[in-house]
Amino acid sequence: MGNTTFAVVVGDFNRDGKADLDVLSGYYNGTVTIFLGNGDGTFTQAAGNPTAAGNPSGTNEAAVIGDFNGDGIPDLAVANDAGSVTILLGNGDGTFTPASGGPITMGETPLSLAVGDFNGDGILDFATVNFDNANISIFLGNGDGTFTQAAGSPIPVGSYPYAISAADFNKDGKIDLAVANSAYTSSSTGTVTILLGNGDGTFTQAADSPVTVGYGPRSAAVGDFNGDGIPDLAVANNYNDTVTILLGNGDGTFAMAASTMPSTISSASCAVSPWFGRMAHFGISSLCSSQKVRNRS
C-alpha cells in the first residue's frame, strides 16, 4: 500500500464467503489494491495487484461496490480526483477488468460516490460530488458496465461538496440524495443539500434545502436514529469536531435533533451503504475513509 490510505471497501470479491478488502492508498498513483480474506482475520494481496484505476496523476479518493453489468459478481466504481470515475468489473476471483469507455469524465475533483437505481430500471446508477465545481454528476447504468450521463446533470449544490449519500428520504419509493457541502473554511457553516429523486434519473431540491449543519462537513451517514421508520442523517463536521443529527420528517425535510454530539475522532468518516440489504449477498458492510486535509486557497 501507499504511505497514505484514503478508503477501504469491504466485499466478497472472489466469492468464497470470506470478506475481502479494496484499499485506496497513496497520492498520485491511480491504483487500488485488493486483499483477499483468509477467513481468520488475515489477508493476502490478490494476484495482479495493485490494479490500475484512473489517472495516475490523480489520487483515488473513494470507491463503491455494485453489480454494474448484472453478472452477480461485485464490481467497483473508483473516483479519481483528477476528474474521472473508473468502473472495474469483477472477474469473480479477486481480479478486475476495466469496463469499456472508461475512465468516465467527471467534474473537477470528485471526492465521494453513491450508488442506487435512480431511474427505476433495475440497473445500478451512480452519483459523484465534484468538489471544485459545487455540483454533482449523475450517471445512469446501461447494464453492461457502461454509463450515460443523466438529463440535467451536473446538478448545482452548495459550496465545496465533500460527501454524498443515497436513501429514500420522502418515502415515495424513489432514491434521493444528501450532499454535504463543506464550504471549505472554518469561518463558514456547512450545509446539506437534499435532492429528491423524480424516478427518471433527475432530481428536485427539497423544501428547506440546503440544511445548515456545522463547520466543514465531510461525511453524511444514513440511519433511522429515532425508530420512526424514516431515514435520518448524521453529519460529521470537521472544523468544530461535532456530529449534527438531522431527523427526517418523511417528506424530504429534516429537523435538527435536540443535541449535537461531540466527535472524538474528527479526521475519519464512516458511512453505511444505503443499499446494504440489496447487496448483502456481496458481503458489503460499510465504507470508512481516512480523510486527508485539503490545502486549498
Side-chain angles (χ1 to χ4, degrees):
M1 287 182 285
N3 58 5
T4 303
T5 301
F6 298 110
V8 178
V9 182
V10 181
D12 184 4
F13 301 127
N14 61 348
R15 299 186 294 175
D16 64 354
K18 302 168 185 174
D20 309 314
L21 303 176
D22 168 36
V23 179
L24 282 61
S25 62
Y27 288 97
Y28 314 121
N29 62 15
T31 64
V32 300
T33 305
I34 305 298
F35 291 88
L36 301 179
N38 298 317
D40 60 358
T42 65
F43 294 83
T44 301
Q45 187 166 313
N49 274 269
T51 300
N55 190 333
S57 67
T59 299
N60 288 330
E61 300 272 359
V64 289
I65 299 176
D67 181 6
F68 301 126
N69 60 348
D71 64 356
I73 300 171
D75 309 313
L76 291 167
V78 182
N80 183 288
D81 68 6
S84 68
V85 168
T86 297
I87 305 299
L88 297 175
L89 302 179
N91 297 317
D93 59 358
T95 65
F96 291 81
T97 301
S100 62
I104 307 168
T105 301
M106 297 290 120
E108 292 185 48
T109 324
L111 293 183
S112 178
L113 291 155
V115 173
D117 181 6
F118 303 142
N119 61 347
D121 63 356
I123 300 170
L124 286 179
D125 313 309
F126 74 82
T128 183
V129 300
N130 301 310
F131 180 81
D132 285 310
N133 294 139
N135 61 29
I136 68 169
S137 295
I138 307 294
F139 278 79
L140 304 179
N142 298 317
D144 59 357
T146 64
F147 291 81
T148 301
Q149 188 161 202
S153 173
I155 302 170
V157 289
S159 176
Y160 297 111
Y162 213 100
I164 187 167
S165 295
D168 183 6
F169 296 122
N170 62 347
K171 307 282 285 180
D172 65 353
K174 302 167 187 175
I175 298 295
D176 311 313
L177 298 170
V179 181
N181 306 301
S182 70
Y184 210 66
T185 170
S186 59
S187 61
S188 298
T189 54
T191 61
V192 174
T193 299
I194 305 298
L195 298 171
L196 301 180
N198 298 317
D200 59 358
T202 65
F203 293 82
T204 301
Q205 190 160 177
D208 298 331
S209 174
V211 182
T212 299
V213 289
Y215 292 87
R218 297 287 184 90
S219 179
V222 178
D224 181 7
F225 304 132
N226 59 350
D228 62 358
I230 299 170
D232 309 311
L233 288 167
V235 182
N237 305 306
N238 182 64
Y239 289 129
N240 57 339
D241 297 344
T242 61
V243 175
T244 300
I245 304 299
L246 299 174
L247 301 179
N249 296 317
D251 59 359
T253 65
F254 289 81
M256 190 173 295
S259 63
T260 297
M261 301 186 305
S263 172
T264 57
I265 306 176
S266 60
S267 61
S269 66
C270 297
V272 174
S273 170
W275 42 283
F276 170 74
R278 191 175 162 187
M279 304 298 287
H281 63 288
F282 286 161
I284 301 168
S285 58
S286 65
L287 184 153
C288 299
S289 58
S290 176
Q291 302 285 4
K292 68 176 181 285
V293 177
R294 293 191 158 267
N295 188 14
R296 293 174 177 267
S297 57

Coordinates of all heavy atoms in Angstrom, one line a residue, residues 191-283:
T191 N -23.5 23.1 4.9 CA -24.9 22.7 4.7 C -25.0 21.3 4.1 O -24.0 20.7 3.7 CB -25.5 23.7 3.7 OG1 -24.8 23.6 2.4 CG2 -25.4 25.2 4.2
V192 N -26.2 20.8 4.1 CA -26.5 19.6 3.4 C -27.7 19.9 2.4 O -28.7 20.4 2.8 CB -27.0 18.5 4.4 CG1 -27.5 17.3 3.7 CG2 -25.8 18.1 5.3
T193 N -27.4 19.6 1.2 CA -28.4 19.7 0.1 C -29.2 18.4 0.0 O -28.5 17.3 -0.2 CB -27.7 20.1 -1.2 OG1 -27.1 21.3 -1.1 CG2 -28.8 20.2 -2.3
I194 N -30.5 18.5 0.0 CA -31.3 17.3 -0.1 C -32.0 17.4 -1.5 O -32.6 18.3 -1.9 CB -32.5 17.2 0.9 CG1 -31.9 17.3 2.3 CG2 -33.3 16.0 0.7 CD1 -30.9 16.1 2.7
L195 N -31.7 16.3 -2.3 CA -32.2 16.2 -3.7 C -33.2 15.1 -3.8 O -32.8 13.9 -3.5 CB -31.1 16.1 -4.7 CG -30.1 17.2 -4.7 CD1 -28.9 16.8 -5.6 CD2 -30.7 18.5 -5.3
L196 N -34.4 15.3 -4.1 CA -35.4 14.3 -4.1 C -35.5 13.7 -5.5 O -35.6 14.4 -6.5 CB -36.8 14.8 -3.7 CG -36.9 15.5 -2.3 CD1 -38.2 16.0 -2.0 CD2 -36.4 14.5 -1.3
G197 N -35.4 12.4 -5.6 CA -35.5 11.7 -6.9 C -36.8 11.8 -7.5 O -37.9 11.6 -6.9
N198 N -36.9 12.0 -8.9 CA -38.1 12.0 -9.6 C -38.4 10.7 -10.2 O -39.4 10.5 -10.9 CB -38.0 13.1 -10.7 CG -37.9 14.5 -10.2 OD1 -38.5 14.9 -9.2 ND2 -37.0 15.3 -10.8
G199 N -37.5 9.7 -10.1 CA -37.7 8.4 -10.6 C -37.2 8.1 -12.0 O -37.4 7.0 -12.5
D200 N -36.7 9.2 -12.6 CA -36.2 9.1 -14.0 C -34.8 9.5 -14.2 O -34.3 9.7 -15.3 CB -37.1 9.9 -14.9 CG -37.1 11.4 -14.5 OD1 -36.4 11.8 -13.5 OD2 -37.8 12.2 -15.2
G201 N -34.1 9.6 -13.0 CA -32.7 10.0 -13.1 C -32.5 11.5 -12.9 O -31.3 11.9 -12.8
T202 N -33.5 12.2 -12.7 CA -33.4 13.6 -12.4 C -33.8 13.8 -11.0 O -34.5 13.0 -10.3 CB -34.3 14.5 -13.3 OG1 -35.7 14.2 -13.1 CG2 -34.0 14.2 -14.8
F203 N -33.5 15.0 -10.4 CA -33.7 15.3 -9.0 C -34.2 16.7 -8.9 O -33.9 17.6 -9.6 CB -32.4 15.1 -8.2 CG -31.9 13.7 -8.2 CD1 -31.2 13.1 -9.2 CD2 -32.2 12.9 -7.1 CE1 -30.8 11.8 -9.2 CE2 -31.8 11.6 -7.0 CZ -31.1 11.0 -8.1
T204 N -35.0 16.9 -7.8 CA -35.5 18.2 -7.4 C -35.1 18.6 -6.0 O -35.3 17.7 -5.1 CB -37.1 18.3 -7.5 OG1 -37.5 17.9 -8.9 CG2 -37.6 19.6 -7.2
Q205 N -34.6 19.8 -5.8 CA -34.2 20.1 -4.4 C -35.4 20.2 -3.5 O -36.5 20.7 -3.8 CB -33.5 21.4 -4.4 CG -32.8 21.7 -3.1 CD -31.7 22.8 -3.2 OE1 -31.1 23.1 -2.1 NE2 -31.4 23.2 -4.3
A206 N -35.3 19.6 -2.3 CA -36.4 19.6 -1.3 C -36.6 20.9 -0.7 O -35.8 21.8 -0.7 CB -36.0 18.6 -0.2
A207 N -37.9 21.1 -0.2 CA -38.2 22.3 0.5 C -37.3 22.4 1.7 O -36.9 21.4 2.3 CB -39.6 22.3 1.0
D208 N -36.9 23.6 2.1 CA -36.0 23.9 3.2 C -34.6 23.4 3.0 O -33.7 23.4 3.9 CB -36.5 23.3 4.5 CG -37.9 23.8 4.9 OD1 -38.1 25.0 4.6 OD2 -38.6 23.1 5.6
S209 N -34.2 23.0 1.8 CA -32.9 22.6 1.4 C -32.2 23.8 0.8 O -32.8 24.6 0.0 CB -32.9 21.5 0.5 OG -31.6 21.2 0.0
P210 N -30.9 24.1 1.1 CA -30.0 23.3 2.0 C -30.2 23.5 3.5 O -30.8 24.5 3.9 CB -28.6 23.8 1.6 CG -28.8 25.2 1.1 CD -30.2 25.2 0.5
V211 N -29.8 22.5 4.3 CA -30.0 22.5 5.7 C -28.7 22.9 6.3 O -27.6 22.3 6.0 CB -30.4 21.1 6.2 CG1 -30.6 21.1 7.7 CG2 -31.7 20.6 5.5
T212 N -28.7 23.8 7.2 CA -27.4 24.3 7.9 C -27.0 23.2 8.9 O -27.8 22.7 9.7 CB -27.6 25.6 8.6 OG1 -28.0 26.6 7.6 CG2 -26.4 26.1 9.3
V213 N -25.7 22.9 8.9 CA -25.1 22.0 9.9 C -23.9 22.7 10.6 O -24.0 23.9 10.8 CB -24.7 20.6 9.2 CG1 -26.0 19.9 8.9 CG2 -23.9 20.8 8.0
G214 N -22.9 21.9 10.8 CA -21.7 22.5 11.5 C -20.7 23.1 10.5 O -21.0 23.3 9.3
Y215 N -19.5 23.2 10.9 CA -18.4 23.8 10.1 C -17.6 22.7 9.4 O -17.1 21.8 10.1 CB -17.5 24.7 10.9 CG -18.1 25.9 11.4 CD1 -18.8 25.9 12.7 CD2 -18.1 27.1 10.7 CE1 -19.4 27.1 13.1 CE2 -18.7 28.3 11.2 CZ -19.4 28.3 12.4 OH -20.0 29.4 12.8
G216 N -17.5 22.7 8.1 CA -16.7 21.8 7.4 C -17.2 20.4 7.3 O -16.4 19.4 7.6
P217 N -18.5 20.1 7.0 CA -19.0 18.8 7.0 C -18.3 17.9 6.0 O -18.1 18.3 4.8 CB -20.5 18.9 6.7 CG -20.6 20.2 6.0 CD -19.6 21.1 6.6
R218 N -17.8 16.7 6.4 CA -17.0 15.8 5.5 C -17.7 14.5 5.2 O -17.3 13.8 4.3 CB -15.7 15.5 6.1 CG -14.8 16.8 6.3 CD -14.2 17.3 5.0 NE -13.3 18.4 5.2 CZ -12.0 18.2 5.4 NH1 -11.5 17.0 5.5 NH2 -11.2 19.3 5.6
S219 N -18.8 14.2 5.9 CA -19.4 12.9 5.7 C -20.9 13.0 6.2 O -21.2 13.8 7.1 CB -18.7 11.8 6.6 OG -19.3 10.6 6.4
A220 N -21.8 12.2 5.5 CA -23.2 12.2 5.9 C -23.6 10.7 5.8 O -23.6 10.1 4.8 CB -24.0 13.0 4.9
A221 N -24.0 10.2 7.0 CA -24.4 8.7 7.1 C -25.9 8.7 7.3 O -26.4 9.5 8.0 CB -23.6 8.1 8.2
V222 N -26.5 7.7 6.8 CA -27.9 7.5 6.8 C -28.3 6.4 7.8 O -27.6 5.3 7.9 CB -28.5 7.1 5.5 CG1 -30.0 6.9 5.5 CG2 -28.2 8.2 4.4
G223 N -29.3 6.6 8.7 CA -29.8 5.6 9.6 C -31.1 6.1 10.2 O -31.4 7.2 10.1
D224 N -31.9 5.2 10.8 CA -33.1 5.5 11.5 C -32.8 5.7 13.0 O -32.8 4.7 13.7 CB -34.2 4.5 11.3 CG -35.5 4.8 12.0 OD1 -35.6 5.9 12.5 OD2 -36.4 4.0 12.0
F225 N -32.5 6.9 13.4 CA -31.9 7.1 14.7 C -33.0 7.2 15.8 O -32.7 7.1 17.0 CB -31.0 8.3 14.8 CG -29.9 8.3 13.7 CD1 -29.6 9.3 12.9 CD2 -29.1 7.1 13.6 CE1 -28.6 9.3 12.0 CE2 -28.1 7.1 12.7 CZ -27.8 8.1 11.9
N226 N -34.2 7.5 15.4 CA -35.3 7.6 16.4 C -36.4 6.6 16.3 O -37.5 6.7 16.9 CB -35.9 9.0 16.4 CG -36.5 9.4 15.1 OD1 -36.3 8.7 14.1 ND2 -37.2 10.5 15.0
G227 N -36.2 5.6 15.5 CA -37.1 4.5 15.4 C -38.5 4.7 14.8 O -39.4 4.0 15.0
D228 N -38.6 5.8 13.9 CA -39.9 6.1 13.3 C -40.0 5.5 11.9 O -41.0 5.8 11.2 CB -40.1 7.6 13.4 CG -39.1 8.4 12.6 OD1 -38.2 7.8 12.0 OD2 -39.3 9.6 12.5
G229 N -39.0 4.8 11.5 CA -39.0 4.2 10.1 C -38.7 5.2 9.0 O -38.8 4.8 7.8
I230 N -38.2 6.4 9.4 CA -37.9 7.4 8.4 C -36.3 7.6 8.4 O -35.8 7.7 9.5 CB -38.6 8.7 8.7 CG1 -40.1 8.5 8.6 CG2 -38.1 9.8 7.7 CD1 -40.9 9.7 9.2
P231 N -35.7 7.7 7.3 CA -34.2 7.8 7.3 C -33.8 9.2 7.9 O -34.4 10.2 7.6 CB -33.8 7.8 5.8 CG -35.0 7.1 5.1 CD -36.2 7.5 5.9
D232 N -32.8 9.1 8.7 CA -32.2 10.3 9.3 C -30.8 10.5 8.8 O -30.3 9.6 8.1 CB -32.2 10.2 10.9 CG -33.6 9.9 11.4 OD1 -34.6 10.5 11.0 OD2 -33.7 9.0 12.2
L233 N -30.1 11.6 9.2 CA -28.7 11.8 8.8 C -27.9 12.2 10.0 O -28.3 12.9 10.9 CB -28.7 13.0 7.8 CG -29.2 12.7 6.4 CD1 -29.4 14.0 5.6 CD2 -28.3 11.8 5.6
A234 N -26.6 11.6 9.9 CA -25.6 12.1 10.9 C -24.5 12.7 10.1 O -23.9 12.0 9.2 CB -25.1 10.9 11.7
V235 N -24.2 13.9 10.3 CA -23.2 14.7 9.5 C -22.0 15.0 10.4 O -22.1 15.7 11.4 CB -23.9 16.0 9.0 CG1 -22.9 16.8 8.1 CG2 -25.1 15.7 8.2
A236 N -20.8 14.6 9.9 CA -19.6 14.9 10.6 C -19.0 16.2 10.2 O -18.7 16.5 9.0 CB -18.5 13.8 10.3
N237 N -18.8 17.1 11.2 CA -18.3 18.4 11.0 C -16.9 18.5 11.4 O -16.5 18.5 12.6 CB -19.2 19.4 11.8 CG -20.7 19.3 11.5 OD1 -21.1 19.4 10.3 ND2 -21.4 19.1 12.5
N238 N -16.0 18.7 10.4 CA -14.6 18.6 10.6 C -14.0 19.7 11.5 O -13.2 19.5 12.3 CB -13.8 18.5 9.3 CG -12.3 18.3 9.4 OD1 -11.9 17.4 9.9 ND2 -11.6 19.3 8.9
Y239 N -14.5 21.0 11.2 CA -13.8 22.1 11.8 C -14.2 22.4 13.2 O -13.5 23.0 14.0 CB -14.0 23.4 10.9 CG -13.3 23.4 9.6 CD1 -14.0 23.6 8.4 CD2 -11.9 23.1 9.6 CE1 -13.3 23.6 7.2 CE2 -11.3 23.0 8.4 CZ -11.9 23.3 7.2 OH -11.3 23.3 6.0
N240 N -15.4 21.9 13.7 CA -15.7 22.1 15.1 C -16.0 20.8 15.8 O -16.5 20.8 16.9 CB -16.9 23.1 15.2 CG -18.2 22.6 14.5 OD1 -18.1 21.8 13.6 ND2 -19.3 23.1 14.9
D241 N -15.5 19.7 15.2 CA -15.4 18.4 15.9 C -16.7 18.0 16.5 O -16.8 17.6 17.7 CB -14.3 18.5 17.0 CG -12.9 18.7 16.5 OD1 -12.8 18.5 15.3 OD2 -12.0 19.0 17.3
T242 N -17.8 18.1 15.7 CA -19.1 17.7 16.2 C -19.8 16.8 15.1 O -19.3 16.7 13.9 CB -20.0 18.9 16.4 OG1 -20.2 19.6 15.2 CG2 -19.5 19.8 17.5
V243 N -20.8 16.2 15.5 CA -21.7 15.4 14.6 C -23.1 16.0 14.7 O -23.7 16.0 15.8 CB -21.7 13.9 14.9 CG1 -22.7 13.2 14.0 CG2 -20.3 13.3 14.7
T244 N -23.7 16.5 13.6 CA -25.0 17.0 13.6 C -26.0 15.9 13.3 O -25.8 15.2 12.2 CB -25.2 18.2 12.6 OG1 -24.3 19.2 12.9 CG2 -26.6 18.7 12.6
I245 N -27.0 15.7 14.1 CA -28.1 14.7 13.8 C -29.3 15.4 13.2 O -29.9 16.3 13.9 CB -28.5 14.0 15.1 CG1 -27.2 13.3 15.7 CG2 -29.5 12.9 14.8 CD1 -26.5 12.3 14.9
L246 N -29.7 15.0 12.0 CA -30.8 15.6 11.4 C -31.9 14.5 11.3 O -31.7 13.4 10.7 CB -30.5 16.1 10.0 CG -29.4 17.2 9.9 CD1 -29.1 17.5 8.4 CD2 -30.0 18.4 10.5
L247 N -33.1 14.7 11.9 CA -34.1 13.7 11.9 C -35.1 14.0 10.8 O -35.6 15.1 10.6 CB -34.9 13.8 13.3 CG -34.0 13.6 14.5 CD1 -34.9 13.7 15.8 CD2 -33.3 12.2 14.5
G248 N -35.3 12.9 10.0 CA -36.2 13.1 8.8 C -37.6 13.2 9.2 O -38.1 12.5 10.1
N249 N -38.3 14.1 8.5 CA -39.8 14.3 8.7 C -40.6 13.4 7.8 O -41.9 13.4 7.9 CB -40.1 15.7 8.5 CG -39.5 16.7 9.5 OD1 -39.4 16.3 10.7 ND2 -38.9 17.8 9.0
G250 N -40.0 12.7 6.9 CA -40.7 11.8 6.0 C -41.2 12.5 4.7 O -41.8 11.8 3.8
D251 N -40.9 13.7 4.5 CA -41.2 14.5 3.3 C -40.0 15.1 2.6 O -40.2 15.9 1.7 CB -42.3 15.5 3.6 CG -41.8 16.6 4.6 OD1 -40.6 16.4 5.1 OD2 -42.5 17.5 4.9
G252 N -38.8 14.7 3.0 CA -37.6 15.2 2.4 C -37.1 16.4 3.2 O -36.0 16.9 2.8
T253 N -37.8 16.8 4.2 CA -37.2 17.8 5.1 C -36.7 17.2 6.4 O -37.0 16.0 6.7 CB -38.3 18.9 5.5 OG1 -39.3 18.3 6.2 CG2 -38.9 19.5 4.2
F254 N -35.9 18.0 7.2 CA -35.3 17.4 8.4 C -35.4 18.5 9.5 O -35.4 19.7 9.3 CB -33.8 17.2 8.1 CG -33.6 16.0 7.2 CD1 -33.7 16.1 5.8 CD2 -33.3 14.7 7.7 CE1 -33.5 15.0 5.0 CE2 -33.1 13.6 6.9 CZ -33.2 13.8 5.5
A255 N -35.4 17.9 10.7 CA -35.3 18.8 11.9 C -34.1 18.4 12.7 O -33.8 17.2 12.9 CB -36.6 18.5 12.8
M256 N -33.4 19.4 13.2 CA -32.2 19.1 14.0 C -32.6 18.5 15.3 O -33.5 18.9 16.0 CB -31.3 20.3 14.2 CG -29.9 20.1 14.7 SD -28.9 21.5 14.8 CE -28.7 21.9 13.0
A257 N -31.9 17.4 15.7 CA -32.1 16.8 17.0 C -31.8 17.7 18.1 O -31.1 18.7 17.9 CB -31.3 15.5 17.1
A258 N -32.2 17.4 19.3 CA -32.1 18.3 20.4 C -30.6 18.6 20.8 O -30.3 19.7 21.3 CB -32.8 17.7 21.7
S259 N -29.7 17.7 20.5 CA -28.3 18.0 20.8 C -27.4 17.6 19.6 O -27.8 16.8 18.8 CB -27.9 17.2 22.1 OG -28.0 15.8 21.9
T260 N -26.3 18.2 19.6 CA -25.2 17.8 18.6 C -24.1 17.1 19.4 O -23.6 17.7 20.3 CB -24.7 19.1 17.9 OG1 -25.8 19.7 17.2 CG2 -23.6 18.7 16.9
M261 N -23.7 16.0 18.9 CA -22.8 15.2 19.6 C -21.3 15.7 19.4 O -21.0 16.0 18.3 CB -22.8 13.7 19.1 CG -24.2 13.0 19.3 SD -24.1 11.3 18.9 CE -23.4 11.4 17.3
P262 N -20.5 15.7 20.4 CA -19.1 16.0 20.2 C -18.5 14.8 19.5 O -18.9 13.6 19.7 CB -18.5 16.2 21.6 CG -19.5 15.4 22.5 CD -20.8 15.5 21.9
S263 N -17.5 15.0 18.7 CA -16.8 13.9 18.0 C -15.4 13.8 18.5 O -14.7 14.8 18.6 CB -16.8 14.2 16.5 OG -16.0 13.3 15.8
T264 N -15.0 12.6 18.9 CA -13.7 12.4 19.5 C -12.7 12.0 18.4 O -11.5 12.1 18.6 CB -13.7 11.2 20.5 OG1 -14.2 10.0 19.8 CG2 -14.6 11.6 21.7
I265 N -13.2 11.7 17.2 CA -12.3 11.4 16.0 C -12.8 12.2 14.9 O -13.7 11.8 14.1 CB -12.3 9.9 15.7 CG1 -12.0 9.1 16.9 CG2 -11.3 9.6 14.6 CD1 -12.0 7.6 16.7
S266 N -12.3 13.4 14.7 CA -12.8 14.3 13.7 C -12.2 14.1 12.3 O -12.7 14.7 11.3 CB -12.5 15.8 14.1 OG -11.2 16.0 14.2
S267 N -11.2 13.3 12.2 CA -10.5 13.1 10.9 C -10.9 11.9 10.2 O -10.4 11.6 9.1 CB -9.0 13.0 11.1 OG -8.7 11.8 11.9
A268 N -11.9 11.1 10.7 CA -12.4 9.9 10.0 C -13.8 10.0 9.7 O -14.6 10.7 10.4 CB -12.1 8.7 10.8
S269 N -14.3 9.3 8.6 CA -15.7 9.3 8.3 C -16.1 7.9 7.9 O -15.3 7.2 7.3 CB -16.0 10.3 7.1 OG -15.3 9.8 6.0
C270 N -17.3 7.5 8.3 CA -17.8 6.2 8.0 C -19.2 6.3 7.6 O -20.0 7.1 8.2 CB -17.8 5.3 9.2 SG -16.1 4.9 9.8
A271 N -19.6 5.6 6.5 CA -21.0 5.6 6.1 C -21.4 4.2 5.7 O -20.8 3.5 5.0 CB -21.1 6.5 4.8
V272 N -22.6 3.8 6.3 CA -23.1 2.5 6.0 C -23.8 2.6 4.6 O -24.4 3.6 4.3 CB -24.2 2.1 7.0 CG1 -24.9 0.8 6.6 CG2 -23.6 2.0 8.4
S273 N -23.5 1.6 3.8 CA -24.1 1.6 2.5 C -25.6 1.7 2.5 O -26.3 0.9 3.1 CB -23.7 0.2 1.8 OG -24.4 0.1 0.6
P274 N -26.2 2.7 1.8 CA -27.6 2.8 1.9 C -28.4 1.7 1.2 O -29.6 1.6 1.4 CB -27.9 4.2 1.1 CG -26.7 4.3 0.3 CD -25.5 3.7 1.0
W275 N -27.7 0.9 0.4 CA -28.4 -0.2 -0.3 C -27.9 -1.5 0.2 O -27.8 -2.5 -0.5 CB -28.3 -0.1 -1.8 CG -26.9 0.3 -2.3 CD1 -26.4 1.6 -2.3 CD2 -25.9 -0.5 -2.9 NE1 -25.1 1.6 -2.8 CE2 -24.8 0.3 -3.1 CE3 -25.9 -1.9 -3.2 CZ2 -23.6 -0.2 -3.7 CZ3 -24.7 -2.4 -3.7 CH2 -23.6 -1.5 -4.0
F276 N -27.5 -1.6 1.5 CA -26.9 -2.7 2.1 C -27.8 -4.0 1.9 O -27.3 -5.0 1.5 CB -26.6 -2.5 3.6 CG -26.2 -3.8 4.3 CD1 -24.9 -4.3 4.1 CD2 -27.1 -4.4 5.1 CE1 -24.5 -5.4 4.8 CE2 -26.7 -5.5 5.8 CZ -25.4 -6.1 5.6
G277 N -29.1 -3.9 2.2 CA -29.9 -5.0 2.1 C -30.0 -5.6 0.8 O -30.0 -6.9 0.6
R278 N -29.9 -4.8 -0.2 CA -30.0 -5.3 -1.6 C -28.7 -6.0 -2.0 O -28.7 -6.9 -2.9 CB -30.2 -4.0 -2.5 CG -30.6 -4.4 -3.9 CD -30.9 -3.1 -4.7 NE -30.8 -3.4 -6.1 CZ -30.9 -2.5 -7.0 NH1 -31.1 -1.2 -6.7 NH2 -30.8 -2.8 -8.3
M279 N -27.6 -5.6 -1.5 CA -26.3 -6.1 -1.9 C -25.7 -7.0 -0.8 O -24.5 -7.3 -0.9 CB -25.3 -4.9 -2.2 CG -25.9 -4.0 -3.2 SD -26.2 -4.7 -4.8 CE -24.5 -4.9 -5.3
A280 N -26.5 -7.5 0.1 CA -25.9 -8.2 1.3 C -25.2 -9.5 0.8 O -24.3 -10.0 1.4 CB -27.0 -8.6 2.3
H281 N -25.6 -10.0 -0.3 CA -25.0 -11.3 -0.8 C -23.6 -11.0 -1.3 O -22.8 -12.0 -1.5 CB -25.8 -11.9 -1.9 CG -25.9 -11.1 -3.2 ND1 -26.7 -10.0 -3.2 CD2 -25.4 -11.3 -4.4 CE1 -26.6 -9.4 -4.4 NE2 -25.8 -10.2 -5.2
F282 N -23.2 -9.8 -1.4 CA -21.8 -9.5 -1.8 C -20.9 -9.4 -0.5 O -19.7 -9.2 -0.6 CB -21.7 -8.2 -2.5 CG -22.2 -8.3 -3.9 CD1 -22.5 -7.1 -4.6 CD2 -22.3 -9.5 -4.6 CE1 -22.9 -7.2 -6.0 CE2 -22.7 -9.5 -5.9 CZ -23.0 -8.4 -6.6
G283 N -21.5 -9.4 0.7 CA -20.8 -9.3 1.9 C -20.4 -7.8 2.2 O -19.5 -7.6 3.0

